Amino acid sequence: MASAGVPGLFPVAASPYEEDNPDYASAVVLDSARQRWIVRAPQNHEASVRLESEHVILHSFSPGLRARLPFQLPTVVGSASSQGLQTFVYPEVPGEVLDIEELARRSHVVTPERDPLSTQLGKVIATIHTLPAELVQEADLPMYSHEQCRKRMLSELDRAASTRKVPSALLRRWEAWLEDENMWQFRPTVVHGDLSEDNIVLDGTRLSAVRGWHDLHVGDPALDFSWLMSCPDQEFADAIIEIYSVQLPHAPDRYLLRRAYLHAEFAIAQWLIRATEQRDQDTIREAVSMLEDLESDLRASGALDSPTTRPTTDGTSAHSESSSDKTSTRSDRGNDQPTSSVGVLVGAVASGSGSSRARVVDAPSEEPTPVPTSGHYRNREGRS
């Protein structure tokens, strides 16, 4: 496939690439000139669409724009079709992909040659969010207003409720945030859409490339912070957001982090929706287990209402009229304002004790409880 996609490329060796991603059959190919290439062959239609979308997006970045970015982008140099699915070939970007704990650890390695990794990440996210919206518009990619973002998630919430597998307390928590219109008064920006440690390439302590651009759109900037909500190193996450806020031409909106928590938690429900539509029983069971564990930990932290009380908009608790109110539908109302934290990520914010988030993002006095810091709650769907 590499030779079919790039005429004149003569492979002499190959090794597996992205072995843990079932959506793609990928390999690193070494050619006769000792150059290394990445070959990615989608294994299903959805994965093929993602690759084709990324191909269109990457071609939208002009050479001049690429030269101004503080990171490299993948470059598609060829493609070939097999059984109706398109395989793409890219020159390999040297570097490694690490988990979030190792990213945080390397951020504490300070050298005179470059900024700490947290500073680099803050600048990268700010760079993405200040890309011209015309880049998205000219590529005919989605452009959502703040209200469209809110309504799309409400629609997804209805779909999650219709599975009848999401704990009702989580549905109430998410619905309360989605129906709080103050939370959704943000300035839409260009958003990467799938930013995570899986799509960040490091060369030592230098952030060398960002990949996985298939979900680029104009929308909620909080989406690109959702992956940080499970970070066990608060200092690392705080530093990223502080640098980000300094790099922006305007202050981040005060509910940025609350929406990031929502996106992080809700990703599990979205995974359940897809598994339900595909009738993937193994994935359904895993997603349900993750949601139940999330509910249990949030309830233990005090972030969810008890079976007999319901938080009101002023943070106090009111007794429910009857147990029949508690059903797994969006008709259940509740502000579900958290009162304590179950993780280290926002401990200082919740107490107001000097966290950069409280200073930079002007966070509400009551911070949402984070997704618990163990990787068990992270979305386990394979990334492109």
Side-chain angles (χ1 to χ4, degrees), residues 212-286:
W213 291 86
H214 54 270
D215 280 337
L216 188 77
H217 64 277
V218 169
D220 184 1
L223 182 61
D224 283 346
F225 290 97
S226 60
W227 66 288
L228 288 171
M229 298 302 101
S230 63
C231 178
D233 187 331
Q234 180 185 337
E235 183 180 345
F236 175 63
D238 280 351
I240 292 172
I241 294 173
E242 184 168 11
I243 293 299
Y244 169 79
S245 69
V246 170
Q247 295 292 314
L248 288 182
H250 52 78
D253 73 275
R254 69 189 303 261
Y255 289 105
L256 177 78
L257 290 178
R258 182 161 294 186
R259 295 195 312 278
Y261 285 120
L262 172 60
H263 286 297
E265 294 176 10
F266 195 62
I268 306 173
Q270 292 171 316
W271 189 39
L272 172 64
I273 292 169
R274 287 191 290 273
T276 301
E277 292 173 345
Q278 295 167 3
R279 299 181 180 179
D280 183 342
Q281 296 303 318
D282 289 341
T283 301
I284 289 172
R285 282 191 290 270
E286 186 174 9

Side-chain angles (χ1 to χ4, degrees), residues 17 23-24 30 58 61 74 93 101 110 192 208 210 233 275 277 285 289-290 292 305 311 325 348 370 377:
Y17 179 75
D23 286 339
Y24 302 95
L30 181 69
L58 292 175
F61 285 87
V93 177
E101 290 82 4
V110 179
H192 179 280
S208 58
V210 177
D233 187 331
E277 292 173 345
R285 282 191 290 270
S289 176
M290 292 167 69
E292 290 172 347
D305 54 308
D325 291 338
Y377 297 97

Side-chain angles (χ1 to χ4, degrees), residues 298-359:
L298 290 174
R299 191 179 298 285
S301 76
L304 296 179
D305 54 308
S306 70
T308 58
T309 61
R310 177 176 298 173
T312 61
T313 55
D314 63 0
T316 61
S317 294
H319 288 283
S320 300
E321 291 183 3
S322 71
S323 60
S324 63
D325 291 338
K326 308 298 183 181
T327 59
S328 297
T329 68
R330 277 192 50 233
S331 62
D332 295 314
R333 304 284 173 168
N335 198 47
D336 294 315
Q337 295 293 342
T339 57
S340 64
S341 172
V342 297
V344 297
L345 181 59
V346 292
V349 180
S351 64
S353 58
S355 165
S356 65
R357 296 184 183 202
R359 297 193 306 272

Side-chain angles (χ1 to χ4, degrees), residues 39-359:
V39 181
R40 306 182 76 199
Q43 300 300 289
N44 53 63
H45 177 71
E46 184 179 349
S48 181
V49 169
R50 287 200 297 269
L51 279 186
E52 291 177 25
S53 296
E54 183 177 50
H55 173 62
V56 171
I57 291 164
L58 292 175
H59 273 284
S60 299
F61 285 87
S62 67
L65 180 55
R66 283 175 176 256
R68 294 196 297 272
L69 297 176
F71 52 84
Q72 289 180 264
L73 294 172
T75 302
V76 178
V77 295
S79 63
S81 180
S82 175
Q83 298 180 338
L85 302 178
Q86 202 76 3
T87 294
F88 290 90
V89 183
Y90 315 74
E92 183 188 38
V93 177
E96 56 186 337
V97 175
L98 305 171
D99 62 33
I100 196 167
E101 290 82 4
E102 180 61 18
L103 289 179
R105 190 193 68 78
R106 292 201 186 184
S107 184
H108 296 295
V109 177
V110 179
T111 65
E113 291 81 19
R114 62 178 57 94
D115 291 331
L117 185 54
S118 57
T119 299
Q120 297 176 59
L121 279 165
K123 290 180 177 179
V124 163
I125 299 174
T127 298
I128 294 171
H129 290 183
T130 52
L131 287 170
E134 291 76 17
L135 177 74
V136 174
Q137 186 175 26
E138 291 172 3
D140 198 26
L141 299 171
M143 300 182 67
Y144 302 115
S145 68
H146 61 82
E147 182 62 10
Q148 286 174 322
C149 290
R150 187 178 75 90
K151 288 184 175 179
R152 291 180 76 245
M153 286 197 75
L154 277 169
S155 177
E156 287 260 283
L157 185 63
D158 284 332
R159 294 171 63 197
S162 71
T163 68
R164 309 186 72 83
K165 298 180 185 298
V166 181
S168 58
L170 292 180
L171 292 174
R172 289 193 299 273
R173 171 179 171 87
W174 299 334
E175 181 183 35
W177 287 354
L178 285 165
E179 292 192 343
D180 181 357
E181 295 187 7
N182 290 328
M183 277 184 57
W184 300 87
Q185 302 302 311
F186 61 84
R187 185 194 306 251
T189 67
V190 174
V191 174
H192 179 280
D194 192 22
L195 195 62
S196 73
E197 65 267 38
D198 296 331
N199 286 323
I200 293 168
V201 181
L202 289 189
D203 182 6
T205 57
R206 181 177 68 89
L207 198 162
S208 58
V210 177
R211 62 185 192 181
W213 291 86
H214 54 270
D215 280 337
L216 188 77
H217 64 277
V218 169
D220 184 1
L223 182 61
D224 283 346
F225 290 97
S226 60
W227 66 288
L228 288 171
M229 298 302 101
S230 63
C231 178
D233 187 331
Q234 180 185 337
E235 183 180 345
F236 175 63
D238 280 351
I240 292 172
I241 294 173
E242 184 168 11
I243 293 299
Y244 169 79
S245 69
V246 170
Q247 295 292 314
L248 288 182
H250 52 78
D253 73 275
R254 69 189 303 261
Y255 289 105
L256 177 78
L257 290 178
R258 182 161 294 186
R259 295 195 312 278
Y261 285 120
L262 172 60
H263 286 297
E265 294 176 10
F266 195 62
I268 306 173
Q270 292 171 316
W271 189 39
L272 172 64
I273 292 169
R274 287 191 290 273
T276 301
E277 292 173 345
Q278 295 167 3
R279 299 181 180 179
D280 183 342
Q281 296 303 318
D282 289 341
T283 301
I284 289 172
R285 282 191 290 270
E286 186 174 9
V288 168
S289 176
M290 292 167 69
L291 288 167
E292 290 172 347
D293 287 348
L294 175 60
E295 180 203 23
S296 177
D297 281 6
L298 290 174
R299 191 179 298 285
S301 76
L304 296 179
D305 54 308
S306 70
T308 58
T309 61
R310 177 176 298 173
T312 61
T313 55
D314 63 0
T316 61
S317 294
H319 288 283
S320 300
E321 291 183 3
S322 71
S323 60
S324 63
D325 291 338
K326 308 298 183 181
T327 59
S328 297
T329 68
R330 277 192 50 233
S331 62
D332 295 314
R333 304 284 173 168
N335 198 47
D336 294 315
Q337 295 293 342
T339 57
S340 64
S341 172
V342 297
V344 297
L345 181 59
V346 292
V349 180
S351 64
S353 58
S355 165
S356 65
R357 296 184 183 202
R359 297 193 306 272

